[in-house]
Amino acid sequence: MQRALIIGCGSIGLRHKKVLESLSFSVFFVSMRTDLKDLEPYMFRSLTEAFLDKKGYSLVIIANETIKHEKSLKELESMHYRGPVLVEKPLFASCSQPALESTDNIFVGYNLRFHPLVQRIKKLIAHTKVYSAQLHVGQYLPTWRERDYRYIYSSKKSMGGGVLRDLSHELDLAYYLFGNVKTCVSNIGRFSDLQIDSEDSVDVLSVHEKCAMVSVHLDYTDNIKKRYISLQCDRLSIEADFINNTLSVDNMVEPLRPCDTYTLQDEAIITRSTDVACSYAQGLEIMKYIQMIEKNCMGGV
């Protein structure tokens, strides 16, 4: 049986555990958590301890706090691990580029690329001019997880929280669908009464290689959960609703089958079928996009 190591044991780490076990992996963790008694036999307290086991790992997933990603990658390299590594998004908390010997084996967890809605859009616009695009995601932060939202990393700027990084799937999809960003303007702020010190809302208007008007909205404040992409193209209009899993092309609405994008992503990385997966280099491009958004902010609170 193949073995996987997950660094971090929060909600995303546990989600990957479920996926990997369905793929017949034995799953181990590096975490300081002591409240998960059933996982104690599979829990290491450090990477050094995890790699004392000479059986090795076929996959390593970095799912700890964003500010710890760089340190975890450097530690993995020091352990001489050269297998596939999946780093949960975003790649880093800042636009740094650590000196790593090799990055060809590193991927970033922008799993929405694997969603059938995204793949259908990519095919539909392959030979069509896109005039404008809107990517929107919003959900009320206190309803996200069972834990008190005030104490999760999303609420803490110092830990890499805030919608700009936490909900950066939409930034990756803009990059994936429309190419490199050339320029942008933004508005970033904490406009609600949520008890957080990170930004709760971001709006971005950017120019990309394949679309001159891309609008991205991210928020922690919407009581009506939303995630959609809307495109205005040459003789074609497209809307993808990720909540209801429907694709509208002009006036025709098509329901799509539900899918687990985490499973599709993890399978692709395990089997090295990585043409869709976000590479390390692409993950750095998203960090540059985030840096540009912060630099070109018009205002905010």
Side-chain angles (χ1 to χ4, degrees), residues 94-292:
S94 62
C95 198
S96 60
Q97 189 170 351
L100 299 171
E101 288 184 12
S102 176
T103 59
D104 291 345
N105 61 321
I106 301 172
F107 303 91
V108 186
Y110 286 112
N111 53 293
L112 276 187
R113 291 185 176 201
F114 289 85
H115 200 291
L117 285 169
V118 174
Q119 291 304 311
R120 287 284 296 278
I121 289 172
K122 197 164 180 67
K123 289 180 180 178
L124 284 167
I125 66 173
H127 304 291
T128 302
K129 183 175 182 179
V130 181
Y131 299 139
S132 61
Q134 300 81 44
L135 297 89
H136 182 114
V137 61
Q139 184 178 354
Y140 191 47
L141 181 61
T143 65
W144 278 26
R145 301 181 180 97
E146 292 182 2
R147 290 179 60 197
D148 189 323
Y149 80 92
R150 295 173 296 175
Y151 305 111
I152 63 176
Y153 84 93
S154 300
S155 68
K156 301 180 184 300
K157 191 74 173 176
S158 63
M159 296 176 68
V163 289
L164 186 55
R165 289 166 175 79
D166 207 9
L167 296 179
S168 57
H169 279 294
E170 273 57 32
L171 303 179
D172 176 67
L173 291 180
Y175 168 82
Y176 180 63
L177 293 171
F178 311 119
N180 281 324
V181 60
K182 295 181 178 180
T183 187
C184 74
V185 293
S186 66
N187 195 18
I188 306 170
R190 180 167 56 85
F191 304 108
S192 73
D193 59 0
L194 288 172
Q195 296 178 50
I196 63 177
D197 67 14
S198 58
E199 75 279 354
D200 60 29
S201 302
V202 173
D203 276 291
V204 184
L205 185 62
S206 55
V207 178
H208 289 250
E209 290 175 326
K210 299 176 184 177
C211 182
M213 187 177 291
V214 176
S215 172
V216 177
H217 173 85
L218 319 170
D219 76 63
Y220 281 156
T221 61
D222 201 331
N223 281 289
I224 303 173
K225 185 178 178 181
K226 298 184 184 77
R227 176 166 257 152
Y228 64 81
I229 299 174
S230 182
L231 308 180
Q232 296 73 48
C233 312
D234 183 22
R235 301 182 184 181
L236 185 68
S237 293
I238 303 168
E239 185 161 307
D241 182 338
F242 290 84
I243 306 303
N244 295 307
N245 213 38
T246 58
L247 180 69
S248 300
V249 180
D250 293 335
N251 293 316
M252 300 294 293
V253 181
E254 177 187 353
L256 273 67
R257 289 183 179 179
C259 74
D260 184 353
T261 56
Y262 283 89
T263 299
L264 294 173
Q265 173 187 248
D266 291 2
E267 281 182 319
I269 292 169
I270 291 163
T271 60
R272 309 297 176 96
S273 304
T274 53
D275 54 319
V276 175
C278 180
S279 68
Y280 179 86
Q282 292 171 340
L284 285 177
E285 289 299 319
I286 305 307
M287 293 311 306
K288 292 175 185 176
Y289 192 4
I290 290 171
Q291 184 180 54
M292 186 186 297

Side-chain angles (χ1 to χ4, degrees), residues 3 44 46-57 79:
R3 292 155 47 100
F44 300 104
S46 68
L47 264 176
T48 301
E49 183 184 352
F51 276 86
L52 288 174
D53 188 333
K54 300 302 182 183
K55 293 180 181 178
Y57 304 97
M79 302 293 170

